[in-house]
Amino acid sequence: MVHTEHQPQATTDLLPIIDLGLYLQNPDAPEAIAESKRAADAIRDYGALIVKDPRVTEQDNNNFIDLMEDYFNQDFDVKLKDARPDYGYQVGVTPELTEDPKCPKDPHCLDIIDHIPEANRPLKFHGADPKWRFFWRIGEQPPATKFPRLNAEPVVPEAFKDVWSETMDVWGNTLHLAVLGLAEMIAVGFDLPKKTFVDMAQYGPHLLAPTASDLNKYGKVGTVLAGFHYDLNFLTIHGKSRYPGLNIWPRNESEKLAVRVPDGCLLVQAGKQLEWLTGGVVQAGYHEVIVNEATVKVIENKTNDRPLWRISSTFFLHIASDNILRPLEGVFDTEEKRAAKYPKIHTGDQVRKELGLIALLEK
């Protein structure tokens, strides 16, 4: 996935920063309610926001990234033992050049690109992404489910068996708590009962899902590490990456933003399940990860001997597989076209269809 034409520069700006601490202190306080409305406005207007959770430190993020760098720096065949293709790679490792972005096969995605001014379009890409990924389940398993392949047991890499589970669980649960708090704020901001989304997400197949790109192999300016796409889940939350390169398109329109995340903060992006539940009021945000001049500058200025891998410490919050996706009654179902575009569907079926489109699971 290499594109060698000149790269236009994305606008570099901070997304709205939401203070989750205000809500944690007293969710009924006027300041917390006002901040919740800001959160709902931000996720609607940008498809993304930055959240400051006082329970999260940059050291927590760094400890997790260190482990991921060490894991992905292992030999290819060693990592391949941790792959579970029979489960659609929804647990364990997904090798590079496996996840195939759906955009080239999706007329809606291609139409979005056609309407973006040439200078702000995503980099062209062909074929599967060169990134690796590891999926680790977080949260309670459902007591019963129609979708067992989306709720499989975790994989523990042999070389890291003494530290893996604890490290993954600590960071995964940290991100889980943060994004659940934000989900409450967004519900409040949209004048919904505060537990609306949290209750729907109980027993969801939530995934701590770090991605990893080998910058020794794929460190050239213009390389597409993750092609233009949206996330299929409800909300995605990330710690700060050590290497820049994430671009987003607010409401999937003409402006391209190069995302900057302050130390100690987390990035949150809207996924397809949130778009579904809001009848399109919130759009699943398209984004890409590329190697640009800023990425290369960080590589060149690197002074430590850490493995040269770009890690994204990503967590996917899902609506439970057995719950029904549809625009929420009385709030987001006021137009017939929304009901037609977002019909009732089991969340597990929505996920299976999406995984089929990105070549991870046979539909």
Side-chain angles (χ1 to χ4, degrees):
M1 274 197 171
V2 177
H3 176 72
T4 56
E5 296 177 18
H6 173 69
Q7 291 186 72
Q9 292 299 306
T11 302
T12 301
D13 199 4
L14 280 177
L15 292 163
I17 299 177
I18 303 302
D19 185 358
L20 180 56
L22 289 175
Y23 187 83
L24 295 175
Q25 287 173 2
N26 182 359
D28 298 320
E31 297 86 352
I33 294 172
E35 194 74 353
S36 297
K37 292 191 179 297
R38 286 188 65 236
D41 289 348
I43 207 73
R44 181 196 64 213
D45 294 343
Y46 292 89
L49 55 81
I50 291 168
V51 63
K52 176 64 176 174
D53 184 337
R55 301 167 295 186
V56 180
T57 69
E58 193 60 25
Q59 188 59 51
D60 294 334
N61 187 42
N62 285 329
N63 291 342
F64 176 78
I65 290 178
D66 283 349
L67 177 64
M68 293 302 100
E69 288 176 346
D70 291 337
Y71 170 76
F72 285 105
N73 203 44
Q74 296 180 110
D75 290 343
F76 186 101
D77 290 342
V78 173
K79 290 178 289 191
L80 206 58
K81 295 176 183 177
D82 301 324
R84 299 292 185 271
D86 290 348
Y87 286 90
Y89 297 100
Q90 292 302 287
V91 292
V93 78
T94 305
E96 64 183 25
L97 305 176
T98 299
E99 191 170 326
D100 197 1
K102 63 177 284 189
C103 192
K105 307 184 286 285
D106 182 359
H108 177 64
C109 180
L110 295 174
D111 184 63
I112 287 174
I113 293 175
D114 286 343
H115 284 85
I116 296 173
E118 185 75 33
N120 287 339
R121 288 181 182 176
L123 292 189
K124 296 176 183 177
F125 56 93
H126 305 282
D129 287 340
K131 69 177 186 295
W132 290 73
R133 191 192 290 282
F134 199 102
F135 279 148
W136 180 262
R137 277 294 311 274
I138 295 292
E140 296 177 285
Q141 291 273 24
T145 179
K146 300 175 184 176
F147 305 94
R149 284 209 291 180
L150 301 180
N151 296 275
E153 290 300 313
V155 176
V156 178
E158 179 64 27
F160 299 89
K161 61 184 179 183
D162 293 337
V163 297
W164 190 266
S165 294
E166 181 179 0
T167 304
M168 300 294 276
D169 285 343
V170 167
W171 184 240
N173 287 323
T174 295
L175 295 179
H176 192 193
L177 286 173
V179 75
L180 286 177
L182 185 71
E184 282 195 23
M185 294 183 75
I186 292 171
V188 170
F190 281 133
D191 296 321
L192 296 165
K194 67 181 181 181
K195 293 293 186 181
T196 298
F197 298 132
V198 171
D199 287 346
M200 295 188 74
Q202 186 178 17
Y203 300 123
H206 315 307
L207 293 164
L208 180 60
T211 60
S213 302
D214 186 353
L215 295 177
N216 293 292
K217 291 172 62 177
Y218 303 112
K220 181 181 177 181
V221 170
T223 301
V224 179
L225 303 176
F228 190 68
H229 70 286
Y230 62 78
D231 292 341
L232 63 88
N233 53 297
F234 179 71
L235 286 172
T236 303
I237 187 167
H238 317 253
K240 182 177 182 176
S241 177
R242 292 173 176 168
Y243 300 92
L246 172 64
N247 294 324
I248 69 169
W249 283 258
R251 288 202 65 79
N252 306 327
E253 294 179 352
S254 60
E255 186 180 10
K256 177 168 68 172
L257 291 182
V259 175
R260 291 188 296 126
V261 180
D263 286 349
C265 292
L266 304 167
L267 171 68
V268 177
Q269 293 171 277
K272 196 66 174 182
Q273 292 167 9
L274 179 55
E275 178 179 329
W276 212 292
L277 291 170
T278 62
V281 170
V282 177
Q283 295 279 305
Y286 278 87
H287 51 284
E288 68 177 1
V289 181
I290 64 172
V291 176
N292 57 24
E293 289 84 355
T295 319
V296 172
K297 185 175 181 180
V298 173
I299 295 172
E300 292 173 345
N301 292 337
K302 185 171 175 285
T303 58
N304 58 47
D305 59 356
R306 297 295 308 159
L308 191 57
W309 284 77
R310 186 193 188 278
I311 306 295
S312 174
S313 57
T314 305
F315 178 92
F316 294 129
L317 184 74
H318 279 262
I319 301 301
S321 304
D322 295 274
N323 280 340
I324 299 293
L325 287 180
R326 61 183 173 188
L328 293 172
E329 294 180 7
V331 181
F332 297 115
D333 66 344
T334 54
E335 297 181 25
E336 289 185 10
K337 66 177 183 180
R338 290 179 184 165
K341 188 175 181 181
Y342 303 102
K344 293 180 183 179
I345 185 173
H346 275 103
T347 309
D349 286 328
Q350 176 255 344
V351 171
R352 289 197 299 196
K353 288 181 179 180
E354 294 276 359
L355 292 177
L357 287 170
I358 58 177
L360 289 183
L361 187 71
E362 292 186 5
K363 293 177 285 184

